[in-house]
Each structure stands twice: as C-alpha cells, then as structure tokens.
Amino acid sequence: MSGPGPGGGARTAGDRGTVGGAGALLIVGDVVTDVVARHRTPLAHGTDTAAEIRTLPGGAGANAACWAVSTGCADVRLLGRVGADSAGWHEAQLRSAGVRPLLVVDDDTPTATVVSLVDASAERTFLTDSGAVLRLAAADWSAALLDGVGRLHISGYLFFAATSRQVVRAALESATARGVPVSVDPASAGFIAHLGADRFLAAADGVDVLLPNADEARLLTGVPDAEKAAAELSRRFPLAVVTLGPDGALVASDGAVTARVPPEPARAVDSTGAGDAFNGAFLAALLTGADPVTAAAAGCRAGALAVALPGGRPPVP
C-alpha cells in the first residue's frame, strides 16, 4: 500500500512555479537511513572492532538534494519512497535542509538502510538493504511533478529493479515531452555489474547528462582509462562528467574530454556522499546558467566539503 507522504506536497499547486526564472530542480531518487561506522583499525573478523557509529539521514538522491540547496538552488524537490517506519523523521530532516519532500509512504516495506563502513583512509564500503527505494513505481509518477521544473535528476539506484525502472522511463518520457533536461548518476558500480552495463545504458537512453564516477565510467564502457571512458560516454550522452575523487573531474562532450577540473584541497574524514555533494552543487550551478566546467568546479568544492564531514549531507543551518 502506498500514498503521498506526510504533507503530500508533491501534488499541490503550492509546489509549482519557478524560482528566479531558472526553474526548480526535481530529483527522483533514494531516501535512506545511513548507519555510519568509522573504524580506525582493520575489521577484526569474528570479534569486536572499536568504531564511532552514528545513524544519519542519507540516500544518493536525498543527499544531492540537500547539497543543491546548500550551494544556492532555492527550489529543490525530491520524489522518493520510504517506509512508514521512518517517513516522518526523513521528511523533517529534508525540510530542515530546505528540500521539498515529495515522499510516497510504503506501509509494507521499511525505508532503505545502508551500513557504511568507513576506514582510517576515509574510504567507505556499503552494505545495502534497498527497502522501499526500489518499490517506487510508475503509479507514483505524474507529469504534473514537472510543473515549474528546470531540471530533472534521477538517481541510478532506481535502475536496479524492474519496478523502479518503470518510473525512470515514465519520468524520462515526461521530461522529454516538456523539454526538461535530465541528468543521471549511475550510483553503484557493484549494482551496474549485477544488472549489466548494456541494460543500464539502454534504460538511460534519452538522458542529457551522465554523472558517473571513474569506476562506473570504466564499467559502463569497458575502457580501463577514465579519460577515454569519459570520451566514450560522451558519444552516447550529450554531456558526461566523470568524478575522479581526490583528482577532480573530467568534462566530456562530442566524443572528447573538453576539460579536466582540478580538485579542491580537503582533509578527508568520510567519503560517504562526496559524489552526491558534487552532483547537487553541479546541478545547482547549471540551473543558474553556469557552463559545465564552472559547474564541475562548484561540484568539486562541494565534494571537498563533504569528505571533511561524517555522513553524506551538509550541516543544517
């Protein structure tokens, strides 16, 4: 059983309209409860390992939405599916960050949970229970959600189940009909490998901007060099922007890398959500009229801020 989340903001006239003429950013994606465990020593199999553990709001789509707000996008909306177990908490967290939550509440399946194991180098490894995320369905989508929207962004996690792929296709078709540009974050090299790169690329047909990290770009193209992989992706998508972690980002179009964007200095504590921060800031900059290279530089700045913080979201003002 499902329905609009508390407040039901997704389907009211009050959520329509543009901001400064640029339009809103609508993100269709995942809302997740993150359990972040930072351990300074290697995991000791079969016994205890000391760790600092926090339960935090997360999800690639939700994180990107929060970072878009924090980097200057005044109207950010998030469509996602959550379990009734924590819908109120997640809605409150999103609203406090300035995001308009358009949550569909699932009475049968709990909110997605990710256990993020963060080692002394700040690298994270995820244990993922997708929960309600992949139950977002075509029936949860309406073309009216694009009213007043200048850009649509879709989290790649929705590509990894048949039900949620249907909402991806419905959203893409609606956006294409309205001339709204669409971006996609491929989200997970592990899940792409399970689904198959060809199936992922076929589901992403019609996307304007692809935002993979280097591992995802290599997997999607079969090309081991990140720069060549970025160029290859830009033959399929008008714009491919590949994040390189501490090495910045690549911007590619028309089959060639057009810019290498340098990284911002950072003292890494937790790399969880760094790519989400990049995406949010990048899309916020595009909405204000920035060119892709300038937008990628904004993304790198946000990514540097993100790795210096535990969890995947910016501090709430």
Side-chain angles (χ1 to χ4, degrees):
M1 180 177 179
S2 66
R11 293 161 176 81
T12 66
D15 280 333
R16 298 174 185 174
T18 61
V19 176
L25 172 63
L26 173 62
I27 295 178
V28 181
D30 46 325
V31 179
V32 174
T33 301
D34 281 347
V35 179
V36 180
R38 295 172 58 205
H39 56 98
R40 297 182 179 178
T41 59
L43 294 175
H45 182 70
T47 185
D48 294 298
T49 301
E52 178 185 283
I53 301 174
R54 299 289 183 271
T55 300
L56 302 168
N63 292 346
C66 293
W67 281 100
V69 171
S70 74
T71 53
C73 190
D75 188 350
V76 181
R77 312 167 189 183
L78 175 70
L79 174 65
R81 195 175 182 99
V82 295
D85 57 316
S86 59
W89 181 65
H90 278 292
E91 179 177 15
Q93 293 291 323
L94 290 164
R95 289 194 183 280
S96 69
V99 176
R100 289 174 158 185
L102 316 177
L103 301 183
V104 179
V105 178
D106 193 311
D107 293 327
D108 300 320
T109 303
T111 300
T113 301
V114 169
V115 177
S116 178
L117 306 175
V118 184
D119 64 20
S121 72
E123 185 57 85
R124 81 286 187 275
T125 300
F126 294 150
L127 300 174
T128 301
D129 178 347
S130 296
V133 165
L134 300 183
R135 285 165 58 88
L136 191 71
D140 300 322
W141 174 259
S142 166
L145 291 169
L146 291 172
D147 290 351
V149 168
R151 282 191 169 272
L152 170 65
H153 178 70
I154 302 174
S155 170
Y157 281 109
L158 298 180
F159 285 64
F160 302 127
T163 298
S164 51
R165 278 198 299 275
Q166 292 174 5
V167 78
V168 169
R169 180 46 48 189
L172 271 169
E173 290 175 355
S174 296
T176 299
R178 292 198 179 200
V180 175
V182 182
S183 55
V184 165
D185 163 23
S188 171
F191 286 166
I192 292 170
H194 181 73
L195 176 69
D198 289 344
R199 290 182 69 191
F200 184 95
L201 291 169
D205 186 49
V207 166
D208 300 278
V209 183
L210 194 72
L211 296 165
N213 64 26
D215 288 341
E216 293 155 2
R218 295 184 186 106
L219 187 57
L220 288 170
T221 60
V223 176
D225 179 78
E227 188 161 338
K228 291 179 180 177
E232 183 65 26
L233 286 171
S234 73
R235 293 186 175 94
R236 177 182 285 265
F237 303 96
L239 181 66
V241 180
V242 177
T243 54
L244 305 174
D247 295 321
L250 300 168
V251 178
S253 61
D254 296 323
V257 171
T258 57
R260 178 180 283 271
V261 180
E264 289 284 326
R267 182 178 179 275
V269 171
D270 178 3
S271 60
T272 303
D276 308 332
F278 179 96
N279 293 340
F282 175 83
L283 295 168
L286 286 185
L287 267 172
T288 62
D291 63 85
V293 176
T294 302
C300 287
R301 289 193 294 273
L305 292 173
V307 298
L309 301 167
R313 296 192 184 175
V316 175

